[in-house]
Amino acid sequence: MKEVLPIFMKRLIMGLGVITLAVGSMLVANGQTELIGALIIGFMTGLVFLGNMSLRLWKAASLPVGGAKRQMLWGLVLRLMVLFIVLLAAVRISTQVFSIVALGFVLCYAWAMVLMIRMNSAK
């Protein structure tokens, strides 16, 4: 795990950079440059979501079954609360900000899952 994580993070960040350039250029072309910050907030929420999930999984691996289940359920509650708070704040600003934050979160999470699948199938 310690050998794979730096490679995964490097690929994740590079991919998010490319996605940011692609979506950001579309926002600039539409004259909505102020929404690029919302996209980055969505990415950051996705990274927090993924980081919390991986840390909980790492801790749960050394616990007995009951403790591991409790650890993962508590982590799920925390992740969903963070996502709810961020999206609630975004929807109070505007529906456009909400949409872009949600898009950033989904793109970050989906890209991470694609990377995990590719790296596991390459073994």
Side-chain angles (χ1 to χ4, degrees):
M1 179 82 173
K2 291 181 181 179
E3 308 87 37
V4 175
L5 193 58
I7 296 168
F8 173 77
M9 288 305 296
K10 181 180 176 186
R11 291 179 183 174
L12 179 68
I13 299 301
M14 287 175 46
L16 288 178
V18 170
I19 293 169
T20 302
L21 286 174
V23 176
S25 65
M26 286 187 275
L27 290 172
V28 168
N30 287 331
Q32 299 175 324
T33 56
E34 67 277 358
L35 294 176
I36 294 174
L39 180 70
I40 293 171
I41 289 172
F43 286 161
M44 290 171 51
T45 305
L47 291 173
V48 167
F49 200 89
L50 291 165
N52 183 294
M53 185 172 51
S54 61
L55 287 175
R56 294 275 174 183
L57 186 60
W58 189 282
K59 290 179 184 178
S62 63
L63 295 174
V65 175
K69 183 178 179 181
R70 195 170 27 255
Q71 180 82 2
M72 291 308 291
L73 286 175
W74 182 242
L76 175 64
V77 169
L78 287 175
R79 288 190 305 272
L80 290 177
M81 283 177 48
V82 166
L83 182 60
F84 177 75
I85 290 168
V86 170
L87 291 178
L88 182 65
V91 79
R92 289 181 183 247
I93 296 170
S94 74
T95 55
Q96 282 184 323
V97 170
F98 171 80
S99 299
I100 298 297
V101 169
L103 176 69
F105 173 80
V106 168
L107 287 174
C108 179
Y109 193 77
W111 177 241
M113 293 300 124
V114 167
L115 279 178
M116 285 183 202
I117 291 168
R118 286 184 57 208
M119 289 178 76
N120 279 325
S121 64
K123 286 185 177 183

